[in-house]
Amino acid sequence: EMDAVTGVQTCALPISTPLRILAAAQEAFAASGYEPATLADIARTVGIRRPSLLYHFPSKEDLYGKVVAQVFGQMGQALLQAQEQPGDFEERLLALAFTFATFVQDNPACASIVVRELVAPDGPGHALLRDQAVPLFDGVVAWIESEGRGRLRPTVNVRSVALHIVSDALLRNATGPLRGDLWGAIGPEHSVAVARSILLGPEVS
């Protein structure tokens, strides 16, 4: 493969089969939900047979768990980097809101999976969200309350505001073609504006 800028011959590393399976599974679960998605269809998307998929992931529930774990692992790493970047609390808080909203915008399948599981009556999703999403969310809320002591509006409910920002970004990016009709052209900067106006307020921003 020739690099278009340097003209140097390059060799792209092949993506491993497990990673290809995870990517295809994330799209399948986001599009149709846990129950309707089939291992045979996921394997066909990857270009392998179902037994080959089961060699890497022994069951659909195991595969789904790995998909969710990968999503929240990547999200958690991105949020941690925003929290630890240089700058004062306000800069890091707004970077946190922007980072989350950007992550969800760049990963709409993740948004669809989370929104589906929040309203699903059964399946493995609720336990996975409780085990992975809730601790991540709790950590973010605790960080805002600790680092923002003396900087936040005194009467603000941090958990409620953070949940509003999270749920708005998730739903906005899970609605597919309806997104523009409902939200217009807003993007991650909207989450930043909400964090600034409600958590900080004009008196400290």
Side-chain angles (χ1 to χ4, degrees):
E1 182 180 343
M2 187 74 70
D3 187 285
V5 176
T6 64
V8 175
Q9 193 76 19
T10 61
C11 181
L13 294 175
I15 302 175
S16 70
T17 299
L19 289 179
R20 289 165 54 219
I21 294 172
L22 286 170
Q26 184 178 118
E27 293 298 329
F29 290 133
S32 56
Y34 176 77
E35 288 296 338
T38 69
L39 294 182
D41 287 341
I42 294 170
R44 191 177 302 112
T45 300
V46 178
I48 61 177
R49 297 173 65 85
R50 187 173 181 274
S52 298
L53 185 153
L54 291 171
Y55 171 79
H56 297 284
F57 301 96
S59 68
K60 184 164 79 166
E61 186 169 348
D62 176 73
L63 176 58
Y64 189 74
K66 295 295 194 308
V67 166
V68 174
Q70 181 188 56
V71 165
F72 284 107
Q74 294 170 343
M75 184 187 298
Q77 186 61 37
L79 295 178
L80 183 62
Q81 290 176 357
Q83 292 170 17
E84 294 181 344
Q85 73 173 29
D88 64 14
F89 168 71
E90 179 178 344
E91 292 171 325
R92 289 180 290 148
L93 173 66
L94 300 183
L96 189 68
F98 184 82
T99 296
F100 175 77
T102 300
F103 180 91
V104 175
Q105 179 175 278
D106 292 344
N107 297 273
C110 158
S112 296
I113 289 174
V114 174
V115 170
R116 280 182 181 277
E117 292 305 342
L118 286 173
V119 298
D122 50 24
H126 279 184
L128 290 169
L129 291 182
R130 187 179 298 112
D131 293 343
Q132 299 182 47
V134 172
L136 180 59
F137 180 72
D138 287 345
V140 169
V141 171
W143 179 84
I144 295 173
E145 291 175 339
S146 174
E147 295 291 319
R149 192 172 290 114
R151 301 292 304 278
L152 298 167
R153 282 187 170 184
T155 59
V156 73
N157 184 316
V158 173
R159 191 175 192 87
S160 177
V161 175
L163 192 58
H164 168 76
I165 293 171
V166 168
S167 57
D168 175 72
L170 286 171
L171 190 58
R172 186 167 73 240
N173 289 283
T175 50
L178 281 175
R179 173 181 167 169
D181 296 331
L182 294 172
W183 279 270
I186 65 173
E189 67 282 349
H190 174 71
S191 299
V192 174
V194 172
R196 178 187 286 114
S197 64
I198 300 180
L199 289 173
L200 297 172
E203 66 275 13
V204 294
S205 63

